[in-house]
Amino acid sequence: MRRIDLIVIHCSATREDRPFPVENLIACHQARFGFTGYHYYITRDGQVYQTRHENLPGAHARHYNQHSIGICYEGGLLANGHPADTRTTEQKAALWHLLKSLKADYPDAQILGHCQLPHVAKSCPNFLPSKEYATL
């Protein structure tokens, strides 16, 4: 079993008015990495998909993949293409429950957004998970 000390939240960087179902995410990652890089994906309706086993390193945060879990939510861009926290009420609830479960399994894991990692110039996931989930 891997040592997990970090849970990294991402957005798919897709427009809120265009669907990006789990099948599209998987196909995109298969083409890029040969496997799905995130461990979990949360669609707009709040459905949580495990897309990679937690025992396997992901491909979501360079230099951190060996000891982290990657979670991605569908969205992250407004209809005009500008970055924003586009999580639906259902996604927020699903993410909270998933994080609570993961923290039970990995109590020492820190929760951060991709943008909160050193040397990351992206705004992903367009909110600050360390602040929002500080009480978990």
Side-chain angles (χ1 to χ4, degrees):
M1 189 158 168
R2 295 187 308 133
R3 175 186 62 86
I4 303 298
D5 62 10
L6 187 60
I7 300 169
V8 184
I9 313 298
H10 303 264
C11 66
S12 63
T14 54
R15 295 175 189 238
E16 65 182 345
D17 61 339
R18 298 180 190 169
F20 193 68
V22 67
E23 296 82 11
N24 290 30
L25 175 86
I26 291 169
C28 179
H29 277 221
Q30 280 292 122
R32 186 171 177 197
F33 306 115
F35 60 89
T36 304
Y38 300 119
H39 295 89
Y40 294 94
Y41 186 58
I42 304 173
T43 52
R44 286 188 182 93
D45 61 1
Q47 182 69 43
V48 177
Y49 295 90
Q50 184 169 5
T51 53
R52 186 158 182 81
H53 196 281
E54 290 176 19
N55 286 337
L56 299 171
H60 61 93
R62 177 177 266 171
H63 306 299
Y64 297 93
N65 290 316
Q66 293 299 320
H67 58 94
S68 67
I69 299 288
I71 302 170
C72 180
Y73 76 88
E74 179 185 10
L77 299 177
L78 297 172
N80 65 11
H82 290 115
D85 179 2
T86 62
R87 291 176 297 157
T88 64
T89 302
E90 294 84 2
Q91 282 175 310
K92 288 179 181 181
L95 181 55
W96 187 87
H97 288 291
L98 176 58
L99 288 171
K100 189 171 180 182
S101 174
L102 289 171
K103 283 292 281 183
D105 293 338
Y106 310 106
D108 297 325
Q110 184 180 16
I111 300 169
L112 292 177
H114 191 197
C115 65
Q116 295 179 285
L117 296 175
H119 312 295
V120 173
K122 301 176 180 186
S123 62
C124 169
N126 302 315
F127 72 99
L128 296 177
S130 63
K131 190 173 185 177
E132 188 165 327
Y133 302 109
T135 59
L136 285 180

